Amino acid sequence: MDHFGYRQDQLFAEDVSLSLIAEEVGTPCYVYSRATLERHYRAFDSAFGDFPHSICYAVKANGNLAVLQVLERLGCGFDIVSGGELDRVLAAGGRAEQVVFSGVGKSTAEIRDALSRGVRILSVESEAELERISEVSQRLGKEAAVALRINPDVDPGTHPYIATGLRENKFGVPFVDAVRLYQKAHALKGIRPAGIACHIGSQLTQVTPFCDALEKVLDLVAELKTHGIELDHLDLGGGLGIRYADENPPSPGDYIEALLATLRRRGCQMHVTLEPGRSIVGNAGVLLTQVEYTKAGPDQDFAIVDAAMNDLLRPSLYQAWHEVVEVNRAGGRPTHRYDVVGPVCESGDWLARDRMLSIASGDFLAIRSSGAYGFVMSSNYNARPRPAEVMVDGESFHIVRERESTASLFAGEHLLP
Ligand SMILES: *Cc1c(COP(=O)(O)O)cnc(C)c1O
């Protein structure tokens, strides 16, 4: 459920008309709904009841400071995959103790920084990384809490680019190596094996793969116990899907209920962490764009809009489908079938294909479900300044990131003497 919808013929975010935002802030522009973010976080948090848990929002889905701030104020923690994301969390008012640090390629500097600031736990994705964390931690005179990220070899049934828990993926350590690596972690100085983690992919629309992965991880926890290694943190990652088109993903409540059933049946007493990204922020954002031109083609018509693949990469990268709707439906325009494309000089620069739209030059469109993996994946390709970001809160809205200027794009460049 989200707080975007029509009042008469006008699309609103909460109590603010999106036409008004497009006129005042300009386009392209991302618009987020605070009420939607809060609703989604609470759906996760409350489904756990009194089972000990943490919800650590995956910052990579949308790292805007105001998004992090809204979640932090509800008591949400954070999952980060870089030192830059740690800086963002702290700048938004978060604390390092609320942070779990994942990612396959943590640099020495990132590890040092994370440990000295006191992040709660590091997910370790290779033997070499385990050794590096041990060295850095000893130099700092610390004991780093770590979880090994296990690759459970479970097929999440999602796009190949966002499947992460298959044997051939670069993520995590193989299941068969886990016991040996935990024994090594146990023996290494500066390290405390505190937990176990897995994250099998993104945009999952079934609970079965999550439960299969959980069973495998719990088997491993039991086996480790027989070797005298007791873990108290269980991190099940993120990955719950959202509805872009006609998908029917489980609700956060149904998903957590399924996990809890397994956890209870297996008598698990561990503290459970989830790292949802997309399912918190995906349907809490839209990308507003303006139609520049319509153009008749031999086979289909084009709606050439002012947003492009540099602003929203998902269609080009994953052939992702986003709903595209008219912001004002009262225009009485003729309806045609369009490919919605941007101004970037690539044939791969399209946002939506084969859509029936009633539009003319100057009209605004909203590209829905753009809150996750939208702005964060944007670039300056074709010297395009990145869009503004706006947060709607009830009857008001706030610019939470200013539109870039072209001058800012080359501010760090130098001409030869
Ligand atoms: C990307 C990622 C997430 C978030 O995934 P979503 O599909 O956005 O929920 C969580 N944990 C880890 C380790 C990730 O890499």
Side-chain angles (χ1 to χ4, degrees):
M1 240 302 287
D2 61 65
H3 293 262
F4 294 89
Y6 285 94
R7 294 189 188 173
Q8 278 89 44
D9 291 317
Q10 299 291 326
L11 186 60
F12 275 65
E14 302 184 28
D15 298 323
V16 181
S17 135
L18 290 178
S19 298
L20 178 76
I21 295 178
E23 298 283 359
E24 290 201 3
V25 179
T27 52
C29 154
Y30 278 95
V31 179
Y32 310 127
S33 152
R34 178 177 185 169
T36 309
L37 284 173
E38 295 187 337
R39 182 189 183 104
H40 291 169
Y41 168 77
R42 290 199 174 102
F44 276 89
D45 186 47
S46 63
F48 271 100
D50 53 13
F51 198 99
H53 69 280
S54 307
I55 306 300
C56 289
Y57 165 71
V59 174
K60 77 170 189 282
N62 183 329
N64 181 281
L65 295 189
V67 170
L68 304 182
Q69 176 193 30
V70 163
L71 294 171
E72 201 279 332
R73 285 188 178 170
L74 299 176
C76 189
F78 300 98
D79 166 56
I80 60 164
V81 293
S82 73
E85 289 186 351
L86 178 56
D87 291 341
R88 283 192 167 273
V89 168
L90 299 176
R95 287 168 295 114
E97 309 87 79
Q98 303 165 279
V99 171
V100 300
F101 193 175
S102 312
V104 281
K106 301 178 197 73
S107 71
T108 300
E110 285 176 319
I111 294 168
R112 191 190 325 112
D113 228 38
L115 291 178
S116 40
R117 284 157 145 176
V119 306
R120 192 174 92 203
I121 195 162
L122 283 78
S123 288
V124 179
E125 305 216 13
S126 65
E127 184 164 4
E129 189 194 2
L130 190 64
E131 290 165 1
R132 186 183 284 183
I133 294 172
S134 163
E135 283 162 26
V136 176
S137 173
Q138 287 179 72
R139 250 181 277 139
L140 293 171
K142 302 230 175 209
E143 186 168 72
V146 300
L148 289 191
R149 174 168 171 185
I150 304 302
N151 183 333
D153 194 22
V154 167
D155 185 355
T158 186
H159 189 283
Y161 286 9
I162 50 179
T164 56
L166 285 166
R167 209 196 332 223
E168 65 264 31
N169 296 135
K170 70 177 176 180
F171 298 99
V173 299
F175 204 78
V176 292
D177 292 347
V179 171
R180 180 180 64 80
L181 290 177
Y182 269 104
Q183 287 172 326
K184 176 163 180 169
H186 198 57
L188 279 172
K189 294 210 172 71
I191 294 264
R192 182 169 57 87
I196 190 162
C198 79
H199 169 75
I200 57 174
S202 198
Q203 185 54 17
L204 274 73
T205 52
Q206 305 285 331
V207 292
T208 317
F210 289 116
C211 292
D212 291 350
L214 173 57
E215 297 275 8
K216 285 196 169 186
V217 169
L218 291 176
D219 289 345
L220 197 52
V221 169
E223 191 182 343
L224 288 166
K225 218 175 218 171
T226 68
H227 289 91
I229 296 169
E230 299 239 11
L231 305 173
D232 42 39
H233 279 78
L234 173 58
D235 184 336
L236 296 173
L240 183 63
I242 63 170
R243 177 180 289 218
Y244 287 98
D246 52 4
E247 302 92 337
N248 243 327
S251 67
D254 290 346
Y255 155 65
I256 290 167
E257 206 36 66
L259 297 178
L260 288 178
T262 304
L263 291 165
R264 293 205 177 96
R265 176 167 47 74
R266 303 275 309 245
C268 177
Q269 306 278 331
M270 299 165 85
H271 180 102
V272 172
T273 296
L274 293 184
E275 303 169 346
R278 188 191 309 270
S279 50
I280 296 227
V281 78
N283 279 326
V286 302
L287 175 59
L288 290 182
T289 185
Q290 186 168 36
V291 179
E292 295 280 9
Y293 306 102
T294 57
K295 171 170 159 176
D299 300 317
Q300 77 277 55
D301 291 349
F302 293 101
I304 302 167
V305 300
D306 65 1
M309 64 186 287
N310 74 293
D311 304 305
L312 179 65
L313 184 60
R314 297 188 71 260
S316 301
L317 185 61
Y318 315 119
Q319 286 77 50
W321 193 97
H322 285 261
E323 188 179 9
V324 178
V325 295
E326 300 91 354
V327 168
N328 175 357
R329 283 180 170 169
R333 315 294 200 197
T335 301
H336 289 288
R337 185 180 300 279
Y338 291 101
D339 280 5
V340 180
V341 302
V344 162
C345 296
E346 297 280 345
S347 292
D349 177 29
W350 56 276
L351 297 166
R353 286 182 164 149
D354 263 343
R355 303 304 171 85
M356 299 304 292
L357 293 167
S358 306
I359 47 171
S361 173
D363 287 358
F364 296 121
L365 293 172
I367 302 171
R368 301 210 46 184
S369 312
S370 301
Y373 307 105
F375 185 89
V376 283
M377 284 189 172
S378 64
S379 77
N380 296 119
Y381 189 38
N382 282 202
R384 289 170 53 85
R386 287 185 295 172
E389 293 175 285
V390 168
M391 178 85 71
V392 171
D393 184 5
E395 294 180 344
S396 44
F397 70 89
H398 308 277
I399 294 176
V400 294
R401 191 180 204 274
E402 286 167 25
R403 183 180 309 285
E404 287 178 342
S405 64
T406 43
S408 75
L409 301 191
F410 47 78
E413 296 180 33
H414 301 285
L415 295 171
L416 294 180

